[in-house]
Amino acid sequence: MNAEIIAVGTELLLGQIANTNGAYLAQKLAEIGVNVYYQTVVGDNPERLEKVLNVAEKRSDLVLTIGGLGPTEDDLTKQIVARHLGESLVTDQPAKDKIDTYAATTKRNLTANNLKQALKIDHAISLTNHNGFAVGDLYVNEDGPSYVLLPGPPAECLMMIDRELIPQLKKRGHSNHVFISRVLRFIGIGESKLVTDLADLIDHQTNPTIAPYAKMAEVTLRVTAAAQDEQRANELIEQTVDKILKRDGQYFYGYGDDNSLTQVVINQLIDRKLSVTAAESLTAGEFQSTIGSVPGVSAVFPGGFVTYANEAKHQLLEIPNDVIDTQGVVSKATAIWMAKQAKAKMQTDIAVSFTGVAGPDELEGQPAGTVWIGIAYRDQEPEAFLFHFTNGRQQVRARSVMTGLDLIRQRLAAE
Amino acid sequence: MNAEIIAVGTELLLGQIANTNGAYLAQKLAEIGVNVYYQTVVGDNPERLEKVLNVAEKRSDLVLTIGGLGPTEDDLTKQIVARHLGESLVTDQPAKDKIDTYAATTKRNLTANNLKQALKIDHAISLTNHNGFAVGDLYVNEDGPSYVLLPGPPAECLMMIDRELIPQLKKRGHSNHVFISRVLRFIGIGESKLVTDLADLIDHQTNPTIAPYAKMAEVTLRVTAAAQDEQRANELIEQTVDKILKRDGQYFYGYGDDNSLTQVVINQLIDRKLSVTAAESLTAGEFQSTIGSVPGVSAVFPGGFVTYANEAKHQLLEIPNDVIDTQGVVSKATAIWMAKQAKAKMQTDIAVSFTGVAGPDELEGQPAGTVWIGIAYRDQEPEAFLFHFTNGRQQVRARSVMTGLDLIRQRLAAE
């Protein structure tokens, strides 16, 4: 079945906000095998929306609108689609009850505008709004395309897609198969290397499909299987994942769209009760700030050092002046001293250190992007590794942080 | 004139990336008075792109495509638009020279695919690609709509819009007026308060227009004037800016879309040769990492402290144990001690400190979002201020950092 998404809103059209709802909806429809062939954005303008509906119904089996269900005068999507279908609008009792309850609880007087949000297209299936008041619609049409109306605020839209729309479409057989995806996350390997390693799998396998995607310092693979039921789809995924991990398992760190290397590493440290600190020069606290984003990190992270200037490395970490003087601040020796001293001073199990050239200017004759990352891991001899990162100051710093986390991950995996 | 944007790319259609180019282009067109009434996304599919062009030319005077100009087989936008117009493709010599030079410099052999990027639609004006090889097109059509073809990679697309397309459209009179915008940035005031303060200006003024936009911890106002020439437009903007700053000047910190509070504050510190450090608990290095993003910050930032655990506050900053024991770690006293000790230890002119509850759990009976921010500024008595931030752990931390920067800004402004 061919679907088309129409996002309604002048603020989208003028570029004040990006159409992230549309991207999310397209992704979710693809996962259940519904092909989106067109996406259109149109302003809050009745005539132009009507024109867009006329174009859409000639080429699509399912037309999904986003936006224009709210209480203001601009919000006209439901009125226009209903007129287009020759249907009237009727009150959705559960949606009206919810608005009434809210008004009673907060002692507000309701206006006609508020109740507008409880209207649905006659003969449509209501889609409950779990994060707001405007009810959504699924209008199943035997003679022409079916219509779906979703609210514009992302929190409302995304929740309605996940909890209402996708289950309804699955139930109503708008998808012949169950589609299941699993995302595998890799660090320390480039997209081109990973794709080359898996070329035969990617090229010859049509079910499951394997879709690579490169992000900052990491690569993900989305493995998607179609089958008659969930169990069979999961089996197909398992078989493919096994083949992938047999080849590149050493770079694999976790599953899931919402996962991150930071979460995986910190949660492993929490599980194993291993504490961590850092001494940061070019990253200026970004490693510590990143691990600080994980709830519960306080169990394993007492704090650490931002030693941007050489004097700070000497004063806070007591790195002998002659190490920096003779070896340079961007050097293996300095990185190792920084990690070793940070670990000793904070009495942690692990310390990582970062010294290098964030750029844009070079330092000590070394070009921007030259980074030494040190690691003192438990009772192992402290080590340091040289990296050359590109793409500007912020990327150099961010990739340094990810690589520091990966050094910890590798050592945890080796134990 | 009515414009329509067509973004071409299966990865856009399937929601793997959001259509940020389209948003940017719509914004830039609006600024020169070109109205965008429709935006469409279509996959890398010749038939469907052709269909979209057929729809577009019936309703728009200017059709702008984004994407599909690259070297791969999928990239077919130029071929299809040329066929649609009944034009052939010809080589753009400067674009070909650039590719040849690159090949010679890097000693690569060129394939036919590489040279495809140097093709332009016959009779079109070439739009130079400053960040890549694929040349863009402006095809001015007297009988039907005019066409613009832009590349898909954002770095290439945005630069071509700014440096090539907008100047060409202005020059060719596709805008009756000169439109000039100026963005004013405010910190420490909410959007609703600012809008209320300026209600009469915002409601009654049609030229310039004033458009507020709320971002994380700050608000911007875009003042846009239309006039026959730049000088008159700038005069109109000046008059409105004066009125705005007379009312809310104390919250204003700078101009410009690409500006940030971090840049403004750090560059002021560099100009005045005032050094800064920090002692961070809940922010875990995010303040220092943020100021570390500004090139040249090393002149005023020697480094600082991440003191997540109480022991670290005691050990690294020598805060007396009884301060934390009797006052609590989330307290005015602890914040003041942290700032004072950080300043003394790093011998800087300024120190800020952060202690609070990032969440999700409460701490010492205080709810998530409770934050004390301390500041030791030059020879002034150290102070600390209490804030209550909302919207989860990352927002609480990020707003703390912005507020710390604002405390410095206020003191710099008062001198």
Side-chain angles (χ1 to χ4, degrees):
Chain A
M1 91 175 313
N2 301 343
E4 164 152 13
I5 299 172
I6 299 169
V8 185
T10 302
E11 71 288 2
L12 283 169
L13 195 60
L14 296 187
Q16 286 151 359
I17 55 176
N19 186 11
T20 50
N21 286 331
Y24 186 84
L25 177 55
Q27 218 170 61
K28 291 291 154 182
L29 290 171
E31 287 172 19
I32 62 163
V34 174
N35 303 313
V36 174
Y37 285 139
Y38 304 95
Q39 286 206 43
T40 307
V41 179
V42 63
D44 300 304
N45 177 291
E47 289 76 38
R48 284 192 283 272
L49 175 54
E50 178 76 41
K51 278 193 198 173
V52 167
L53 292 174
N54 284 326
V55 170
E57 69 180 4
K58 293 195 186 74
R59 63 189 183 191
S60 301
D61 309 317
L62 178 64
V63 178
L64 305 105
T65 71
I66 302 174
L69 306 189
T72 75
E73 287 177 23
D74 282 353
D75 293 309
L76 288 166
T77 305
K78 210 169 275 179
Q79 286 68 17
I80 290 161
V81 174
R83 195 180 62 194
H84 187 80
L85 290 166
E87 294 281 5
S88 54
L89 293 175
V90 296
T91 295
D92 178 74
Q93 199 55 46
K96 181 169 184 300
D97 291 347
K98 187 171 165 185
I99 295 173
D100 287 339
T101 306
Y102 173 80
T105 315
T106 58
K107 301 189 174 33
R108 283 166 204 239
N109 289 323
L110 288 182
T111 64
N113 273 351
N114 294 118
L115 290 173
K116 197 178 136 194
Q117 298 182 89
L119 294 175
K120 66 162 198 161
I121 296 173
D122 203 7
H123 302 113
I125 297 158
S126 302
L127 304 176
T128 304
N129 190 332
H130 298 274
N131 276 334
F133 294 118
V135 66
D137 295 85
L138 165 61
Y139 185 89
V140 180
N141 206 345
E142 299 305 330
D143 311 324
S146 296
Y147 286 82
V148 170
L149 279 65
L150 297 165
E156 300 179 24
C157 183
L158 272 44
M159 182 78 99
M160 193 179 286
I161 292 169
D162 285 346
R163 291 224 200 149
E164 301 290 322
L165 176 64
I166 298 296
Q168 280 283 357
L169 291 178
K170 279 185 176 172
K171 194 168 78 183
R172 307 188 65 83
H174 280 283
S175 151
N176 300 328
H177 287 87
V178 174
F179 283 75
I180 293 185
S181 280
R182 196 173 305 169
V183 171
L184 284 72
R185 308 182 73 94
F186 297 85
I187 182 87
I189 183 170
E191 184 184 21
S192 54
K193 167 90 165 69
L194 186 64
V195 167
T196 308
D197 287 355
L198 305 174
D200 56 321
L201 294 178
I202 293 174
D203 291 347
H204 298 135
Q205 209 145 2
T206 53
N207 188 28
T209 57
I210 304 173
Y213 191 66
K215 298 187 180 169
M216 201 280 297
E218 63 174 314
V219 189
T220 63
L221 293 179
R222 179 181 296 276
V223 181
T224 306
Q228 293 300 337
D229 57 55
E230 280 199 23
Q231 193 192 336
R232 179 66 193 140
N234 276 320
E235 283 167 13
L236 289 170
I237 288 180
E238 285 298 341
Q239 291 163 11
T240 300
V241 168
D242 282 350
K243 287 182 201 163
I244 294 170
L245 295 185
K246 205 161 277 171
R247 299 190 196 176
D248 284 309
Q250 73 267 38
Y251 306 109
F252 169 78
Y253 77 80
Y255 291 106
D257 260 328
D258 295 333
N259 204 351
S260 72
L261 182 63
T262 313
Q263 287 176 57
V264 167
V265 168
I266 297 304
N267 285 324
Q268 283 185 20
L269 293 178
I270 293 171
D271 286 347
R272 301 203 202 174
K273 296 189 170 49
L274 293 174
S275 58
V276 64
T277 187
E280 302 188 57
S281 183
L282 85 152
T283 47
E286 190 164 327
F287 177 87
Q288 295 172 79
S289 171
T290 301
I291 68 174
S293 68
V294 181
V297 69
S298 59
V300 293
F301 173 53
F305 307 88
V306 180
T307 54
Y308 215 59
N310 290 353
E311 307 85 80
K313 294 178 184 72
H314 178 62
Q315 184 196 332
L316 299 183
L317 295 171
E318 295 182 82
I319 295 177
N321 273 334
D322 70 312
V323 171
I324 296 177
D325 290 346
T326 60
Q327 311 281 315
V329 65
V330 182
S331 68
K332 183 170 193 160
T334 299
I336 286 177
W337 269 95
M338 285 170 71
K340 194 168 64 175
Q341 292 292 88
K343 179 170 180 283
K345 288 193 173 289
M346 299 307 290
Q347 299 181 303
T348 55
D349 298 300
I350 305 167
V352 284
S353 66
F354 302 87
T355 180
V357 192
D361 300 326
E362 58 169 40
L363 182 66
E364 295 179 347
Q366 307 205 59
T370 309
V371 180
W372 281 96
I373 304 180
I375 180 162
Y377 186 85
R378 308 193 75 173
D379 47 12
Q380 296 174 13
E381 191 63 30
E383 300 174 276
F385 303 92
L386 177 62
F387 299 90
H388 297 282
F389 300 123
T390 53
N391 289 328
R393 184 177 178 91
Q394 311 319 344
Q395 280 272 340
V396 167
R397 298 173 65 213
R399 295 182 74 104
S400 299
V401 168
M402 292 293 277
T403 306
L405 286 165
D406 191 36
L407 291 179
I408 300 176
R409 180 193 69 83
Q410 289 168 21
R411 277 152 191 79
L412 289 168
E415 280 202 33
Chain B
M1 92 175 312
N2 300 344
E4 164 151 12
I5 298 172
I6 300 169
V8 185
T10 302
E11 71 287 3
L12 283 169
L13 196 59
L14 296 187
Q16 286 151 359
I17 54 177
N19 186 10
T20 50
N21 286 330
Y24 187 84
L25 177 56
Q27 217 171 61
K28 291 291 153 181
L29 290 172
E31 287 172 18
I32 61 163
V34 174
N35 302 313
V36 174
Y37 284 140
Y38 303 95
Q39 287 205 42
T40 307
V41 179
V42 62
D44 300 303
N45 176 290
E47 291 75 40
R48 285 192 283 272
L49 176 53
E50 179 75 43
K51 278 192 198 173
V52 167
L53 292 174
N54 284 327
V55 170
E57 69 180 5
K58 293 195 186 76
R59 62 189 182 190
S60 301
D61 310 317
L62 177 65
V63 178
L64 306 105
T65 71
I66 302 173
L69 306 189
T72 76
E73 286 175 25
D74 281 353
D75 293 309
L76 288 166
T77 304
K78 209 170 274 180
Q79 287 68 18
I80 290 160
V81 174
R83 195 180 63 194
H84 187 80
L85 290 167
E87 294 280 6
S88 55
L89 293 175
V90 295
T91 295
D92 178 73
Q93 200 54 46
K96 181 171 184 299
D97 291 347
K98 186 171 165 187
I99 295 173
D100 287 339
T101 306
Y102 173 78
T105 315
T106 59
K107 301 190 175 30
R108 282 168 204 238
N109 289 322
L110 287 183
T111 64
N113 273 350
N114 293 118
L115 290 174
K116 198 178 135 195
Q117 297 182 88
L119 294 176
K120 66 163 199 160
I121 297 174
D122 203 9
H123 302 112
I125 297 158
S126 302
L127 303 176
T128 304
N129 190 333
H130 297 275
N131 276 334
F133 294 118
V135 66
D137 294 86
L138 165 59
Y139 184 89
V140 180
N141 206 346
E142 299 304 330
D143 311 324
S146 296
Y147 286 81
V148 170
L149 278 65
L150 297 165
E156 301 180 24
C157 183
L158 272 45
M159 182 79 97
M160 193 178 286
I161 292 168
D162 286 346
R163 291 225 201 148
E164 301 289 322
L165 177 64
I166 298 296
Q168 280 283 358
L169 291 178
K170 278 185 177 173
K171 195 167 77 184
R172 306 188 65 84
H174 279 283
S175 152
N176 300 329
H177 286 86
V178 175
F179 283 75
I180 293 185
S181 280
R182 195 174 305 170
V183 171
L184 284 73
R185 309 182 74 93
F186 297 85
I187 182 85
I189 182 169
E191 184 184 19
S192 53
K193 167 92 164 69
L194 186 64
V195 167
T196 308
D197 287 354
L198 306 174
D200 56 322
L201 293 178
I202 293 174
D203 291 346
H204 298 134
Q205 210 145 0
T206 54
N207 188 28
T209 57
I210 304 172
Y213 191 65
K215 297 184 180 172
M216 200 281 297
E218 62 174 312
V219 190
T220 63
L221 292 179
R222 179 181 296 277
V223 181
T224 305
Q228 292 300 336
D229 57 56
E230 279 199 22
Q231 194 192 334
R232 180 64 191 138
N234 276 321
E235 282 168 14
L236 289 171
I237 288 180
E238 285 299 341
Q239 291 163 11
T240 301
V241 168
D242 282 351
K243 287 181 202 163
I244 294 171
L245 294 186
K246 203 161 277 170
R247 299 189 196 176
D248 283 309
Q250 73 267 39
Y251 306 108
F252 168 77
Y253 76 80
Y255 290 107
D257 260 329
D258 296 332
N259 204 351
S260 72
L261 182 63
T262 312
Q263 287 176 56
V264 167
V265 169
I266 296 305
N267 285 323
Q268 284 186 19
L269 293 178
I270 292 172
D271 286 348
R272 301 201 203 173
K273 295 191 171 51
L274 293 175
S275 58
V276 64
T277 188
E280 303 187 58
S281 182
L282 85 152
T283 48
E286 190 164 327
F287 177 86
Q288 295 172 79
S289 172
T290 301
I291 68 172
S293 68
V294 181
V297 70
S298 58
V300 293
F301 174 52
F305 307 88
V306 180
T307 54
Y308 215 59
N310 289 354
E311 308 85 81
K313 293 178 185 73
H314 178 63
Q315 186 196 333
L316 301 183
L317 295 171
E318 293 181 82
I319 295 177
N321 273 334
D322 70 312
V323 172
I324 297 176
D325 289 347
T326 60
Q327 310 282 316
V329 65
V330 181
S331 67
K332 183 170 193 162
T334 299
I336 286 177
W337 268 96
M338 286 171 70
K340 192 167 67 176
Q341 291 293 88
K343 179 170 180 281
K345 288 192 173 287
M346 299 307 290
Q347 298 183 305
T348 54
D349 299 301
I350 306 166
V352 285
S353 65
F354 302 87
T355 180
V357 193
D361 299 326
E362 59 169 40
L363 182 66
E364 294 180 346
Q366 307 205 59
T370 309
V371 180
W372 281 96
I373 304 181
I375 181 163
Y377 186 87
R378 307 193 77 172
D379 47 13
Q380 295 174 14
E381 191 64 30
E383 300 173 276
F385 305 91
L386 177 63
F387 300 90
H388 296 282
F389 300 124
T390 52
N391 288 328
R393 185 176 178 91
Q394 310 319 345
Q395 281 271 341
V396 168
R397 298 173 65 213
R399 294 182 75 105
S400 299
V401 168
M402 292 293 277
T403 307
L405 285 165
D406 191 37
L407 291 179
I408 299 176
R409 180 192 70 82
Q410 290 168 22
R411 278 152 190 78
L412 289 169
E415 281 201 30

